[in-house]
Amino acid sequence: MNPYVLTTLLSSLGLGTTLTFASSHWLLAWMGLEINTLAIIPLMAQHHHPRAVEATTKYFLIQATAAAVILFAGTANAWATGEWSMASVSDPIATTMVLAALSLKVGLAPMHFWMPEVLQGLDLLTGLVLSTWQKLAPFALIIQTSHAFDPLLLTALGLTSTLIGGWGGLNQTQLRKVLAYSSIAHMGWMIIVLQYAPHLTFLALLMYILMTSAAFLTLKLSYATKIGTLATTWSKTPLLTATAALVFLSLGGLPPLTGFMPKWLILQELAKQGLPFTATIMALAALISLYFYLRLCYSMTLIISPNTAASTTPWRTQTTQVSTPLALFTMMALGLLPITPAVTALLI
């Protein structure tokens, strides 16, 4: 892609998200979401592969539908209350429509069906942008309007997403689909604690972005898109294989890795709010997710791939890819648990 075009598209992505962050008016927020969607469409379709074009078309239709519903809900709320401000969302129908549309945008269950299919059709870098940066603007709106949502509805969305994210990833062999279901499960953790401690939602989103970035960049460096390919990485890049296994375990929330921090604090908050049953279901759902991450680790570290080629397997391969961002994200995805008190003090 032409560097000028790429710069324009990435600037538009940043502009759209920033516009939504800064807005307190429904029309401005909608405009930011639309700029965001239109900027990522050419990035998704740049390879001109049928799968990429199909994924782009699905993504455009889903995002356009969600944006239209948000605009309609904002208009309905303005009709009922006389204000376009996000702080004055009080009409129950408009509130439910906003939550449904934003859930569709971020891929919360039961509006998650597009997410694995779209992510499977993209290359790993565009998939990384879709899984991380594209979640920021809708989540900013969810946090801004969280006071108006029905608590029972938020809890139901959170539990459904965590369970479906765990179950959906069990039978997958494609790594991008595994990461899509991982995203759905993490969204459930964020949404369930939103009504009690919005700062923990922000923390969970931040940690999810760090760990997912490390996972996608690892897969990009090792050219892996299927579980079977992971079995060949140990002979080429043994150190990367070891850190990748730890990153996947961190995504699963295993102590003493970074991924344990948000889950620990969210379960603690749910217990404080007198919801031990909900906390138990969330913890059990996290175990289901952990199982498919363990499958990935097993494939990477304990399986020797059948090698039918006559040539010998290379022990080291030189790569031209930049590995500095990967090193930075991996370090943060593995070692932030000891500074949990400092992180929570900053957020509260």
Side-chain angles (χ1 to χ4, degrees):
M1 187 180 274
N2 186 310
Y4 296 115
V5 175
L6 185 62
T7 307
T8 307
L9 292 174
L10 291 176
S11 304
S12 301
L13 263 182
L15 173 68
T17 306
T18 312
L19 199 62
T20 307
F21 278 173
S23 63
S24 58
H25 190 285
W26 277 115
L27 206 56
L28 207 59
W30 169 79
M31 211 179 294
L33 292 171
E34 284 295 281
I35 291 170
N36 224 345
T37 303
L38 293 174
I40 202 174
I41 292 294
L43 293 173
M44 292 169 77
Q46 64 181 317
H47 295 294
H48 305 295
H49 189 274
R51 286 302 301 267
V53 173
E54 182 191 334
T56 308
T57 310
K58 285 177 181 174
Y59 183 75
F60 175 74
L61 291 172
I62 290 291
Q63 298 297 313
T65 305
V69 173
I70 287 171
L71 190 60
F72 183 63
T75 313
N77 187 66
W79 181 272
T81 62
E83 286 187 48
W84 277 92
S85 169
M86 277 188 231
S88 62
V89 184
S90 55
D91 186 51
I93 296 173
T95 308
T96 311
M97 283 170 65
V98 165
L99 184 57
L102 291 173
S103 300
L104 185 62
K105 268 200 170 291
V106 296
L108 271 168
M111 281 81 80
H112 67 285
F113 295 101
W114 62 272
M115 182 85 183
E117 297 301 321
V118 167
L119 207 57
Q120 178 57 29
L122 304 177
D123 67 302
L124 288 165
L125 267 187
T126 317
L128 169 61
V129 175
L130 184 74
S131 301
T132 54
W133 186 262
Q134 292 296 92
K135 307 280 189 202
L136 293 176
F139 250 98
L141 295 183
I142 289 173
I143 290 171
Q144 270 182 283
T145 51
S146 60
H147 62 275
F149 298 143
D150 180 17
L152 193 63
L153 194 56
L154 287 176
T155 305
L157 277 173
L159 287 171
T160 312
S161 296
T162 317
L163 288 166
I164 286 178
W167 266 318
L170 288 180
N171 206 25
Q172 300 300 331
T173 56
Q174 297 286 342
L175 295 173
R176 283 166 292 188
K177 281 194 177 181
V178 168
L179 286 168
Y181 280 108
S182 159
S183 172
I184 293 162
H186 278 89
M187 293 299 125
W189 280 91
M190 292 170 214
I191 214 80
I192 201 154
V193 80
L194 179 65
Q195 53 200 317
Y196 309 114
H199 65 276
L200 287 184
T201 297
F202 178 70
L203 173 69
L205 181 61
L206 190 64
M207 293 303 142
Y208 161 75
I209 287 172
L210 291 179
M211 294 182 294
T212 304
S213 301
F216 268 103
L217 292 172
T218 301
L219 297 180
K220 184 179 178 293
L221 202 70
S222 53
Y223 300 103
T225 53
K226 293 198 257 314
I227 289 184
T229 320
L230 288 178
T232 64
T233 55
W234 67 272
S235 63
K236 298 174 187 173
T237 48
L239 187 61
L240 185 69
T241 305
T243 55
L246 289 172
V247 165
F248 285 128
L249 290 176
S250 184
L251 266 170
L254 201 72
L257 304 167
T258 303
F260 180 59
M261 183 203 298
K263 287 184 168 60
W264 170 30
L265 294 171
I266 288 169
L267 289 175
Q268 191 179 28
E269 185 62 35
L270 289 173
K272 270 187 203 168
Q273 297 292 338
L275 298 163
F277 185 65
T278 308
T280 307
I281 294 174
M282 294 296 284
L284 291 174
L287 285 178
I288 302 172
S289 296
L290 185 60
Y291 174 76
F292 66 74
Y293 294 120
L294 280 169
R295 264 183 71 211
L296 298 184
C297 296
Y298 177 73
S299 300
M300 292 185 85
T301 56
L302 295 172
I303 285 182
I304 296 175
S305 178
N307 190 9
T308 52
S311 61
T312 54
T313 309
W315 179 246
R316 297 283 188 277
T317 50
Q318 293 297 320
T319 178
T320 54
Q321 296 187 61
V322 180
S323 57
T324 313
L326 171 61
L328 186 65
F329 281 118
T330 301
M331 191 177 69
M332 288 193 284
L334 300 183
L336 292 186
L337 187 66
I339 62 162
T340 303
V343 173
T344 48
L346 282 171
L347 288 173
I348 293 171

